[in-house]
Amino acid sequence: MERWPALLWRHRWALLALAASWAALNVWLQLQALQLRDDGAWAGHLNIWSDWPLHIAMASGFADRAPTQWFSDHPMFARGQLSYPFVVNLISGLLMRAGLGLDVAMTAPTLIAAVASVFLLYAFMQLLLGSRAWALLGVSLFYLGAGVGGLHFLLESVAQADWSALAYPPVEVSRLDRYDWYSGNALTGMLLPQRAFVLGFALALASLLLLLLAVAQRVSRPRLLALIGGVLAGLMPVVHTHSFLALAGLGLATAALFPGAWRIWLAYALPAAGLGVLLSTAFLMPEQGLPRHLRWAPGFAADGGLRDWALMWWRLWGLSLPLAALGLGFLAGRRLLWWSALAGLFCFAFANLVLVQPNRWDNSKIFLWAWLCWTPLVVAALRGLYGRPPWGRLVALLLSLGVSTTGAVEVWRLAQTDRGSHMISDRADLELARRVRAGTRPDAVFATAPSHNHPVMSFGGRPILLGFTGWIANLGFDYAEREQALADIFAGGAEAVDSLRRYRVDYVWIGPAERHRYRVNQGWFDRQLPLAFTDGRTWVYAAGGLRLPAGSD
């Protein structure tokens, strides 16, 4: 086995190219992900605005609470157990406990994982393709691969001479709401906004690399490396559950194509399965409302038969699937490339047959692993065409552009964080949330509007009775009764008293969002509950100070 210094030196130019391109871009995007400005808290992209408030709330819980209370409340469903892959938010919470600011604590673990993923991707591509140059192409195609929306967008913009749209595309060109496909680009949809996936992808990719190096006999002491990889895989349920499911399929492909290495993949599978089951049982089984996962749904989001299914994947992945199929003709005796074909097929078939959560979009987290496995096949097809004169090089170049144009448009738009930023909370809400955080117990429950980015949940670090209902069912909770209870609470009267006591609500937050959504009887609150906090725009009442018995007006 080649020693590390010599190995790094041999790949120095490739590593420098990655550092100056994809690693630098990931650093820039992560540094812009969450910014605390004078006027409020801002997210660098719409998908961060939608995803990170819940993660900020989880990290705040780990920062404020005693370890015995870490999992007793879901931030969006108070009194419901936190059954969510939590490791990345635990790391951020511990960094906050150590004295780091919220923005640094939230950014640091995802930045490190995102940069590590760039170099792990290169190692994966180089292992399968055996070429530094083609491995670099593989990394780029992985980040840029998407459907055909970018080609349509460019053609329409040029035809209409709409140069402002070319400077900053007004919409995500890989998004297809018809299929609940909210982004077709790995960076835009997954590896930037989804914090659990960022860390999970890096650790799962490291686990997979260790397994492949071991079964391919590229290292000394292969069983030890396989064992380490298996432990990393076993951690996946509490890091990123979908990546754990994907690794199961990738492990099956390894067992099928390397039967002679059964001792090695057994050394991987036993700790992966044992630790994975243990952690899933301990942390991912909610006490109430267990979600109905793994629903049989052949065809994923296709409307009809095979023709509709093929049309769907043309729109979602464009030239990638035909090129991956073409790549099978150029694999020759490269066993690891045949592994990538089978491993990708396992993930792709599973996600086309079974929905892992009520929201179909969540299957994209498994489809991304299929795309990872099939990217080397796309590169193999391009390499095979490139070496066929007289038109092979031109054809390979045009096909490369066809695969990557949509992703390039998305990344171009994504990098302009100054134009894509969205405010999470304004300054007034941040200041009030900080006062609440300093003046209430970490487990105090707040009745609020069911928002995904409510300031008392995210920046106050306090659980709310009910958060964004579009996510609650996906998280495994039945929210119908709480939805009605919130309407009763803000209306005041006897039903409000009953609901406040039934759900053991400690505070009621009445701000712009609550007045917009409900008919708030604020006079009732002024008469019956003591005022705990206010900033002149928002009033927070202490529900523990009810002056009326249950059932009174």
Side-chain angles (χ1 to χ4, degrees), residues 349-505:
F350 175 79
N352 267 290
L353 294 172
V354 177
L355 290 182
V356 297
Q357 283 185 269
N359 188 340
R360 295 189 297 193
W361 164 244
D362 284 286
N363 270 36
S364 63
K365 301 168 188 176
I366 297 177
F367 284 125
L368 187 66
W369 283 97
W371 170 236
L372 170 71
C373 292
W374 283 347
T375 301
L377 302 185
V378 174
V379 176
L382 295 173
R383 180 168 60 179
L385 293 170
Y386 186 84
R388 294 187 175 229
W391 302 103
R393 293 191 177 188
L394 178 59
V395 171
L397 174 62
L398 293 176
L399 289 174
S400 297
L401 292 174
V403 170
S404 58
T405 296
T406 298
V409 172
E410 294 286 47
V411 170
W412 169 249
R413 184 177 188 272
L414 183 65
Q416 300 183 63
T417 55
D418 58 327
R419 303 182 68 172
S421 296
H422 289 72
M423 180 179 281
I424 303 174
S425 290
D426 63 21
R427 179 178 179 177
D429 277 343
L430 283 182
E431 291 181 350
L432 184 57
R434 289 165 180 158
R435 287 171 55 195
V436 167
R437 187 169 185 169
T440 61
R441 303 187 323 272
D443 61 346
V445 174
F446 282 70
T448 69
S451 307
H452 84 281
N453 62 334
H454 200 283
V456 78
M457 177 190 75
S458 298
F459 299 99
R462 300 298 178 255
I464 61 178
L465 185 62
L466 182 64
F468 177 49
T469 55
W471 288 350
I472 295 298
N474 213 41
L475 294 169
F477 299 109
D478 183 358
Y479 62 86
E481 291 185 358
R482 292 193 181 206
E483 193 171 36
Q484 181 59 50
L486 280 175
D488 293 340
I489 287 171
F490 288 110
E495 290 81 4
V497 174
D498 292 339
S499 294
L500 289 170
R501 288 179 170 163
R502 176 184 177 187
Y503 290 103
R504 293 176 288 158
V505 173

Side-chain angles (χ1 to χ4, degrees), residues 304-318:
L306 183 61
R307 180 182 178 277
D308 290 330
W309 179 82
L311 181 60
M312 176 187 73
W313 280 109
W314 168 253
R315 291 168 173 164
L316 297 181
W317 278 6

Side-chain angles (χ1 to χ4, degrees), residues 45 153 163-171 412-414 416 419-421:
H45 188 267
F153 163 75
W163 312 123
S164 62
L166 289 175
Y168 183 75
V171 297
W412 169 249
R413 184 177 188 272
L414 183 65
Q416 300 183 63
R419 303 182 68 172
S421 296

Side-chain angles (χ1 to χ4, degrees), residues 11 43 51 53 139 151 161 173 240 282 424 435 457 484 522 534 550:
H11 292 269
D51 276 29
V139 172
L151 293 170
V173 295
H240 188 248
I424 303 174
R435 287 171 55 195
M457 177 190 75
Q484 181 59 50
Q522 191 156 348
T534 187

Side-chain angles (χ1 to χ4, degrees), residues 32-83:
Q32 305 303 310
L34 175 65
Q35 293 190 348
L36 302 180
R37 306 176 189 171
D38 291 340
D39 60 343
W42 288 79
H45 188 267
L46 177 63
N47 293 342
I48 297 172
W49 172 84
S50 64
D51 276 29
W52 276 41
L54 175 58
H55 291 275
I56 294 170
M58 290 185 196
S60 298
F62 289 124
D64 290 353
R65 293 184 171 211
T68 54
Q69 296 181 322
W70 277 350
F71 303 99
S72 58
D73 282 288
H74 194 289
M76 278 192 176
F77 200 83
R79 318 294 186 194
Q81 183 179 341
L82 177 60
S83 53

